[in-house]
Structure formats: structure tokens, C-alpha cells
Amino acid sequence: MASDIEYYKQLSKKVSTKQDKINFFDQNQKAFYVDIYSDSWSKMMMEYAKAENLSSEQLNKIEEMKWIEMPDDLKLFAYDFCILKGFVFTGVGSKQY
């Protein structure tokens, strides 16, 4: 697991634009589940649903989508939540707040 985390950390350092984040999401699904002790994906989905004011039905539809077909705004949100601010990836990338 540690080598996976390091691999995705290094990959994420090359991410700088919104399109980079979307591409990272599309190509690195495992990065969003690499921390087996965390439920960051579930937490992220709950936060995304709140931010977008989604019903549980709408959220379920998104969760049933194929990874690559998920909405771009979710991909951006997921990258920021799980990779930039995720516990496992702390200190990744250049912070642009």
C-alpha cells in the first residue's frame, strides 16, 4: 500500500489544471481507494451531495455510473477532497487556494 500511495503522490504532483485533475481521476481510480483504513470516498460523496444539493436518488445514479462517465464537477471535487486534502496524500501538489 505504501508504494501505491507514493506512486500516486508523485503522479499528482504533475497535476495543475482542471483538465489534469479530470484526467488523473479518469486514469487512476485506485488512487481514490488506496487508503484501506479510510472511507474518504464515502465522505467525499456525502460532501459532494451536500454541495450540489443532490437527493439520495441522484447520488445513487452517479454512484452507479461507470468511473469515466461520472460528471466532471464530481471528478474535480473528488480530486480536491481525496487527493489534495486527503489524509493519505497530505502535502501533495501545490496548494492553490
Side-chain angles (χ1 to χ4, degrees), residues 5-82:
I5 293 168
E6 196 52 43
Y7 171 75
Y8 292 118
K9 270 187 185 182
Q10 293 307 314
L11 259 186
S12 67
K13 288 179 181 177
K14 298 175 181 144
V15 172
S16 58
T17 66
K18 285 184 177 186
Q19 191 57 51
D20 289 344
K21 290 179 182 183
I22 291 168
N23 292 341
F24 183 94
F25 183 97
D26 288 347
Q27 297 165 9
N28 299 288
Q29 182 175 358
K30 189 176 178 184
F32 294 86
Y33 297 99
V34 77
D35 183 3
I36 58 172
Y37 303 107
S38 165
D39 57 350
S40 62
W41 181 260
S42 300
K43 289 177 185 173
M44 181 281 300
M45 287 301 279
M46 289 174 57
E47 290 300 317
Y48 177 74
K50 278 189 225 170
E52 297 294 319
N53 202 22
L54 300 176
S55 67
S56 56
E57 202 173 287
Q58 290 170 306
L59 189 59
N60 287 339
K61 282 184 182 175
I62 291 173
E63 289 180 324
E64 290 170 5
M65 290 177 167
K66 290 183 178 156
W67 188 258
I68 199 110
E69 294 171 354
M70 290 185 172
D72 286 351
D73 59 338
L74 169 71
K75 295 175 183 186
L76 295 169
F77 191 92
Y79 183 88
D80 290 347
F81 190 97
C82 297

